Amino acid sequence: MRTPATRLYRSLEGLFAVYKPAGVHWKLVRDTVETNLLKGINSAPPPALRTQVKFLLQSGAGSEDHKEVTLRPVRLPVLADHPLVTGPEFQKLRVGVGHRLDVFSSGVFVLGVGNGNAKFKEMYERYNTRDYTLEGEFGRATDDFSHDGRVIERTTYDHITCDKLERVLATIQGANQKALLSYSNVDMRSQEAYELAVRGMLFPEGKTPPILTGLRCLDFQPPRFTLEVQCMNETQRYLRRLLHEVGLELRSSAVCVVIRRLRDGPFTLQEALTRQRWTLPDVAQAICQDHSIRRKRGKAFSQGAE
Amino acid sequence: MALGGLHLCKKCSFFLGVRKLCSDLQQSARFLHSANVQFSSIPQSTFAARPACGPAWPVGITGRFHKPPQTETWKVTVCQYSDTTGVTLAGRDNQQLPADPAQTGLISKQSLFGTLPLSDSQAPLLDLDGSPPLAPFEEISEEEAVQIHAAPALPTVSVSLGDYVDRSETLQQLLKLGVNLSKLEQRPNVGSMLLRLDFHADVKDRLLFLKDVGVGDSRLGTFITHNPFILTEGLENLRARATYLRSKKFSRESVATMVSKAPYLLNFSIERLDNRLNFYQQTLGLSTEKTRNLVVRLPGLLCRSLEPVKENLKVCELELGFRPNEIQHIVTAVPKVLTANKKKLTEIFNYVHNTMGIPHALITKFPQVFNSRLLRIRERHLFLQYLQRAQYDPAKPSYISLHCFVSLPDRVFCSDVAKATLEDFELFQKTL
């Protein structure tokens, strides 16, 4: 029997993005979203109770000595179906996570509901890049490369200029570009490589170490600086180490203050839901939007192929 | 009790051990412990008072069912014994059965159960080795036919109270009150305990007592959902504890509020309650009136252990650096500080005092900051800082009080305090 709650449950299938705040474990985010969605689904009105015919004994009309005993059919509700006896209709919802963010970082965090979880495989096995904003601070080196770790080293940073920083970033980007080409499993001297490169389809396949496809400096105000990074197969700890190595290259040291993810595959900041919007209607709307975008992209792709 | 195993629980072995128990009761108790029993509806009286055997109670569950209107002559059922413990029953009125063969039959079964007293000579015994007294095609009168009530057997062991709720008066009455049976059945042993209760003997008196104390009718359901053990607590003890609280000059309404907010309160002994009241009065150094107010605001203080409270007080004094009179003021305004998580308390204080730059005196004036979440405080403070409105010093203009900062909902905070829209706040949250 399709109750309103069942209909809601079945219709909730797809991917959506939330904005994970810093200082919160990703599992807590996933659990909170699941709890809120279940609350919304279970708040749908419950179906009416089943009824059952029961026969009750009743003494009918008759003389004083000899009362006739008859059975009276009565339709009574089956109490075993009462919501206080059965509990909420749905107690678990399959909410899966995409690429995880650690406790220190914040940003776009993709979640999937129900059968939408199957789309993760497709999303992450293909070529998929992510955008980050890294804010660093010169002058310190810590054990876990973040600003609230145990300080190992203090250095000066007056000698650092924007120019020197950009030169270091260019070196790093060059090395990563080489890695990108070498992991693409295509012979660089072939015609195929040229054609792929012309179309912009030259990218790594399969398991690779973290590769930065783009790196630039957004802001430089010593001791603080901000970098924008596009990367693939990365972890947040790798990005913090990247900042530390940038500091080392500049003959100083640096720690990471903020890591923010701006984009994970096709999901950007615009679509990400803030904490106040982790409720059933907003999530359902976000999933619908994602579906319509995919359909449009699919149509455009098939039209392009023609 | 094991399903299919022939073990007796203490209650039933007690009944079996009682002298001069009529043999049909012994039979009934034995039927109790055989698995796969089919039965008809059970008369409502207690075991000892039952005039005839009401066989076939499921193993492990004892309870009272609806009394059918015509039960004066209950039918003794005959067991078709097999070597397994399976038993089938047919209905027949009480009969005087020959003693000796039945006795031998009983004794042979008794050996399985250990030593059991012999039955009285005058009680009707079943002839287990002979032919059954009731043949299936024997003619019976219309009245008897109408009174046969063959219902499917209740499961002997179940994980859900839903299997029993249609036939148990206690459960049906609790459901009417609004008790959440699905939550109670998840707690260990509570389900069996509820089924063993008799509504008219046990439950009704305690519900009336709770009404006397002042717990509202609409709140009885949630009360029992949180604390089902009130239904097994002794009535004299409950009354004594309620009287004790009144003797400590708590008004009737205060006692009602305390009992509603802390359902386990009346399960604790008078010594324990007294001990805790004295502790709070001595440690915090408050007057009796203020201690009373504190306990009425957070009656859970009387239920929980005192170690976390002592640790929290130490944290406030040593780590956070509040003076004793400041601690008194904070605790009377926000009693939750006594039971809050220490780590969260220190994190919030660290942010509010060191990052936002608010001194101790001002925090003491607005202790509700300790009630809110660090993430919320951080986002709002950074938003105000971005808008250059983060001014928390009362001496300077456009001062923002901590009360407005923490207690207002998002929409009101954005419009009144930050003078921005909710969408701006959300966009800002995505930049953190």
Side-chain angles (χ1 to χ4, degrees), chain B residues 177 203-221 223-224 230 235 238-239 242 252 255-256 259-260 266:
Chain B
L177 282 174
V203 180
K204 199 160 70 171
D205 295 328
R206 283 161 184 81
L207 291 176
L208 289 170
F209 165 75
L210 286 176
K211 259 191 89 153
D212 274 337
V213 164
V215 177
D217 291 341
S218 51
R219 296 180 78 158
L220 282 174
F223 188 99
I224 297 180
I230 194 105
L235 259 179
L238 291 175
R239 289 202 180 109
R252 202 179 166 276
V255 176
V259 171
S260 311
L266 292 178

Side-chain angles (χ1 to χ4, degrees), chain A residues 19 21-22 24 57 66-67 69 71 77-80 82 84-87 106 260 269-270 272 274-277, chain B residues 69-70 143 146-147 162 165-166 172 175 178-182 185 375-376 378-379 410 426 429-432:
Chain A
Y19 191 88
V24 174
L57 284 171
H66 179 72
K67 283 224 155 128
V69 173
L71 288 176
V78 174
L79 290 173
H82 196 279
L84 286 177
V85 179
T86 57
S106 59
R260 245 174 82 227
L269 266 186
Q270 212 182 4
T274 49
R275 261 179 331 130
Q276 289 77 20
R277 295 199 182 276
Chain B
Q70 312 283 340
E143 274 190 28
V146 150
Q147 282 167 31
V165 75
D166 280 302
Q172 282 170 10
L175 196 62
V179 175
N180 194 334
L181 295 174
S182 63
E185 72 195 11
L375 200 56
R376 197 171 138 104
R378 199 168 76 203
E379 284 176 353
D410 277 341
E426 283 187 16
Q429 277 182 316
K430 291 191 193 178
T431 65
L432 291 176

Side-chain angles (χ1 to χ4, degrees), chain A residues 79-258:
Chain A
L79 290 173
D81 289 346
H82 196 279
L84 286 177
V85 179
T86 57
E89 209 175 324
F90 293 98
Q91 303 201 5
K92 199 161 156 29
L93 189 63
R94 286 187 304 146
V95 175
V97 304
H99 194 262
R100 299 187 288 271
L101 281 167
D102 64 358
V103 178
F104 181 78
S105 330
S106 59
V108 174
F109 182 38
V110 184
L111 298 174
V113 193
N115 290 338
N117 287 315
K119 296 200 181 99
F120 279 132
K121 201 168 140 78
E122 174 197 17
M123 188 168 138
Y124 291 119
E125 279 182 0
R126 285 206 209 141
Y127 177 60
N128 187 52
T129 53
R130 288 174 268 269
D131 274 357
Y132 286 87
T133 303
L134 308 173
E135 278 178 44
E137 193 180 312
F138 290 120
R140 282 185 296 157
T142 55
D143 58 346
D144 63 350
F145 314 123
S146 66
H147 70 105
D148 52 5
R150 187 172 56 92
V151 176
I152 294 177
E153 193 181 55
R154 282 189 203 277
T155 55
T156 56
Y157 50 84
D158 314 315
H159 57 280
I160 303 177
T161 60
C162 191
D163 183 48
K164 284 185 192 168
L165 177 65
E166 297 212 342
R167 217 172 294 158
V168 165
L169 294 180
T171 333
I172 296 175
Q173 196 168 6
N176 274 285
Q177 194 74 15
K178 257 197 200 166
L180 194 146
L181 295 173
S182 68
Y183 280 105
S184 63
N185 298 330
V186 168
D187 188 6
M188 282 300 116
R189 286 178 290 183
S190 65
Q191 180 65 12
E192 182 196 355
Y194 170 74
E195 279 171 9
L196 283 174
V198 154
R199 284 201 309 208
M201 302 282 280
L202 198 64
F203 40 75
E205 300 261 330
K207 270 199 177 288
T208 65
I211 297 178
L212 306 176
T213 54
L215 178 62
R216 70 181 176 124
C217 175
L218 284 179
D219 189 28
F220 178 73
Q221 262 143 41
R224 290 282 189 112
F225 64 102
T226 312
L227 302 182
E228 192 190 327
V229 164
Q230 276 111 40
C231 49
M232 51 184 294
N233 287 336
E234 83 295 352
T235 56
Q236 282 83 47
R237 191 180 157 82
Y238 174 80
L239 296 172
R240 289 201 291 274
R241 218 178 88 189
L242 174 76
L243 281 186
H244 171 78
E245 282 168 10
V246 162
L248 290 179
E249 290 288 321
L250 289 165
R251 300 225 185 4
S252 175
S253 52
V255 291
C256 180
V257 181
V258 171

Side-chain angles (χ1 to χ4, degrees), chain B residues 318-333:
Chain B
L318 299 172
E319 277 187 57
L320 309 190
F322 283 110
R323 290 195 293 269
N325 63 330
E326 289 177 333
I327 296 181
Q328 272 183 7
H329 183 86
I330 291 175
V331 161
T332 37

